[in-house]
Amino acid sequence: EKAGYKHFMLKEIFEQPRSIADTISGNMSWLKGDGKLEGVDPKSFDRIQIIACGTSYHAGLIGKFYIENLTRIQVEVDYASEYRYRNPIVNEKTLVIAITQSGETADTLAAMKLAKEKGAKTLAICNVIGSTITREADTTIYTYAGPEISVASTKAFTTQLTALFILALYLGKERKTLSSEKLEAYFKLLMEVPSKMEEFLNTERKEEIVKKIALEFYKASDALYLGRYVNYPIALEGALKLKEISYIHAEGYPAGEMKHGPIALIDETMPVIVVATKSKVYEKVLSNVEEVKARKGRVVSIVNKGDKAVKQLSEFSIEVPEVNEFLSPIINVVPLQLFAYYIADFLGYDVDQPRNLAKSVTVE
Ligand code: F6R
């Protein structure tokens, strides 16, 4: 059932191009043409709150960029476990989006219930047909990742990003903040993601390169992950993957925030993994990498092919195909998933069943 892979996690990492393609085609009917997303009127709210836990929360942070940029609707993102106890300002003019792979996470269910009681409209982004959240939400957008067995979430995450991007396009279309030409152009870029990811996974021995870097760092006791803008949440997600399966302490930080404290941690033993693909903040990330380098940090960078400036400052680089910057998190997370996977495997841990963790957290 692992189809020749050593662990489900690795199998699921490699399934991502397919899962993303399925999530696009599975949601095309309501995005394209005269299609409608049943259950929620796209003009009936003036702000959005996204609630989720763990990896799904990181998808929500990126979803905020998508929705705010393409629709200019204000979006807040909360951990479900915080939202439910912070007396949130929520009413009939609020759309609450709950992101959950399993559809059974106790905190996410409770947060959505609270929002519903206060009159909010509710939309679930979920991977499991018929799960509790899909029965309670006004409408559901499914991700078509297929069953995710590994406790560490991989393909659920990249399909959640896909679904959020499609939702942002839809809201932009319905609320007329996005022309049909722009929508078509973005949709075309989205359609290219599976083949770009396939290109990364299956050509030029990328797996070997990541493995080699993992071999260099698997004895580390800490790691820092840096990113900015749409790739800041990818730094958080990369750090979470490393923590949960390899038990190495890791932190994700917005690269621009380093000089306000965390840079004190950097010395010649500290692995610093930087997401530095092309975007409007590339130059900013470059100067952050220079700051790290000046303190002798060991830089591992995720860059696009042809990169010179960041590569020059890095001990190791992993090249990924270039895609639109909004969509770059979907590609950039893949080397970080592989990196965490190989480190955990080198350390001999039970990758699919990490200690202290359960696939779905049905208690508070
Ligand atoms: C991390 C991970 C968890 C889940 C979180 C939410 O790899 O798997 O952080 O993302 O427990 O689970 P769902 O999405 O099922 O609500």
Side-chain angles (χ1 to χ4, degrees), residues 53-56 100-102 105 151-153 240-241 244 361:
C53 304
T55 288
S56 299
T100 165
Q101 187 282 131
S102 62
T105 301
V151 165
S153 183
L240 178 61
K241 289 286 93 91
E244 65 179 332
V361 185

Side-chain angles (χ1 to χ4, degrees), residues 227-229 231 255-256 259 274-292 302-304 306-313 325:
R228 289 183 83 130
Y229 187 52
N231 282 298
K259 54 175 136 342
V274 187
V275 183
T277 49
K278 280 183 197 155
S279 83
K280 68 176 186 192
V281 295
Y282 175 84
E283 294 295 329
K284 302 286 167 199
V285 176
L286 173 63
S287 43
N288 300 137
V289 175
E290 279 163 351
E291 293 158 12
V292 170
I302 312 297
V303 295
N304 287 134
D307 184 281
K308 287 205 179 71
V310 170
K311 230 173 149 172
Q312 229 169 35
L313 298 168
E325 71 178 324

Side-chain angles (χ1 to χ4, degrees), residues 94-154:
T94 315
L95 172 69
V96 168
I97 302 175
I99 309 175
T100 165
Q101 187 282 131
S102 62
E104 305 296 347
T105 301
D107 279 318
T108 308
L109 286 168
M112 200 185 77
K113 194 163 168 237
L114 171 85
K116 218 173 160 174
E117 279 162 13
K118 301 221 182 222
K121 284 128 191 131
T122 54
L123 184 159
I125 295 181
C126 185
N127 195 46
V128 179
I129 295 173
S131 58
T132 308
I133 203 115
T134 67
R135 284 183 267 116
E136 305 207 335
D138 294 326
T139 193
T140 298
I141 298 175
Y142 281 104
T143 50
Y144 294 84
E148 192 179 62
I149 310 289
S150 161
V151 165
S153 183
T154 55

